Amino acid sequence: DQQVKQNSPSLSVQEGRISILNCDYTNSMFDYFLWYKKYPAEGPTFLISISSIKDKNEDGRFTVFLNKSAKHLSLHIVPSQPGDSAVYFCAASENPGNQFYFGTGTSLTVIP
Amino acid sequence: GAVVSQHPSWVICKSGTSVKIECRSLDFQATTMFWYRQFPKQSLMLMATSNEGSKATYEQGVEKDKFLINHASLTLSTLTVTSAHPEDSSFYICSAPRNYEQYFGPGTRLTVT
């Protein structure tokens, strides 16, 4: 049973525009969330995190929003750049020291 | 910053042989490390939790006798794929938690011919 879901397998965005990647989860015990970026044949690269005590966390061009009541989080990238083209995974955990459950990923393509 | 390394980064082996993959935390100690596997175009799936000083905890469906995990020290966990078969070909990634973050290794691409 997939506890973390990314329902959009792919997304194409024009350079300079906003990219919005969505993620839903089912386990209400999840308290800590991460977004990772992954290039082919490489390990995931941490992007940004958020804990359940917040509803927004911002780091440069990346902002993560958390809606606990809807069990939904999203990653906003503004402005999108061609170098952002990669697969983005959201991940959730009950505790940041524990195992994480990953979504299936969204492949983002930023068109120059 | 904290870094997790994996060795080798890629390996090709023949069917029936065993392959060992190392995961090291380079500047911090990790009593727990996690091993994930990723099939093409699929998500990272947790295989097992490696515990220093005790047995690993395997996820349902993962054969513990096939995927041997040894957490030899506070900075090293190893995953040995025994009697490898072509269906074991995959991308294996480890991670270690530190200070409310999870640090991932660069991954190991295993190809079994």
Side-chain angles (χ1 to χ4, degrees):
Chain A
D1 183 32
Q2 192 78 23
Q3 297 190 60
V4 179
K5 299 177 184 178
Q6 292 174 257
N7 293 319
S8 298
S10 63
L11 175 68
S12 290
V13 171
Q14 207 67 34
E15 180 179 5
R17 308 291 276 268
I18 183 171
S19 295
I20 300 176
L21 296 97
N22 293 303
C23 178
D24 297 288
Y25 60 97
T26 57
N27 188 342
S28 59
M29 299 298 290
F30 286 151
D31 251 356
Y32 196 75
F33 306 87
L34 304 169
W35 280 95
Y36 286 96
K37 175 180 179 180
K38 187 179 182 303
Y39 295 110
E42 291 184 14
T45 303
F46 170 78
L47 272 179
I48 194 167
S49 64
I50 190 167
S51 70
S52 60
I53 61 172
K54 290 185 174 182
D55 54 16
K56 176 183 174 182
N57 190 23
E58 195 171 348
D59 183 3
R61 297 186 297 114
F62 302 91
T63 303
V64 56
F65 295 91
L66 175 64
N67 183 334
K68 277 213 80 176
S69 60
K71 297 192 183 69
H72 177 84
L73 66 157
S74 61
L75 174 69
H76 292 209
I77 306 174
V78 182
S80 301
Q81 299 173 354
D84 296 329
S85 297
V87 179
Y88 289 77
F89 291 94
C90 65
S93 176
E94 295 182 24
N95 179 305
N98 288 356
Q99 70 193 60
F100 275 81
Y101 295 87
F102 284 81
T104 48
T106 296
S107 177
L108 172 66
T109 302
V110 180
I111 304 164
Chain B
V3 176
V4 173
S5 71
Q6 281 185 241
H7 177 80
S9 55
W10 62 271
V11 58
I12 301 172
C13 71
K14 291 187 177 179
S15 237
T17 61
S18 295
V19 174
K20 181 186 283 188
I21 303 170
E22 293 184 349
C23 177
R24 292 182 187 272
S25 56
L26 295 185
D27 60 355
F28 66 100
Q29 294 181 335
T31 55
T32 300
M33 290 184 177
F34 301 99
W35 286 97
Y36 295 85
R37 179 176 180 177
Q38 184 180 31
F39 292 100
K41 298 183 180 179
Q42 293 190 29
S43 181
L44 288 160
M45 298 297 292
L46 180 69
M47 296 175 65
T49 303
S50 174
N51 304 299
E52 192 271 336
S54 64
K55 290 182 180 180
T57 306
Y58 289 83
E59 295 299 298
Q60 192 173 10
V62 177
E63 299 175 61
K64 63 176 75 171
D65 294 330
K66 180 167 185 62
F67 298 98
L68 300 178
I69 290 173
N70 181 27
H71 203 127
S73 73
L74 287 171
T75 59
L76 173 64
S77 174
T78 60
L79 167 67
T80 302
V81 183
T82 63
S83 187
H85 288 278
E87 56 264 32
D88 298 326
S89 298
S90 190
F91 194 59
Y92 294 86
I93 301 173
C94 68
S95 73
R98 181 197 185 211
N99 295 342
Y100 297 97
E101 295 291 352
Q102 192 81 213
Y103 294 90
F104 283 81
T108 297
R109 168 72 63 190
L110 169 63
T111 301
V112 184
T113 60

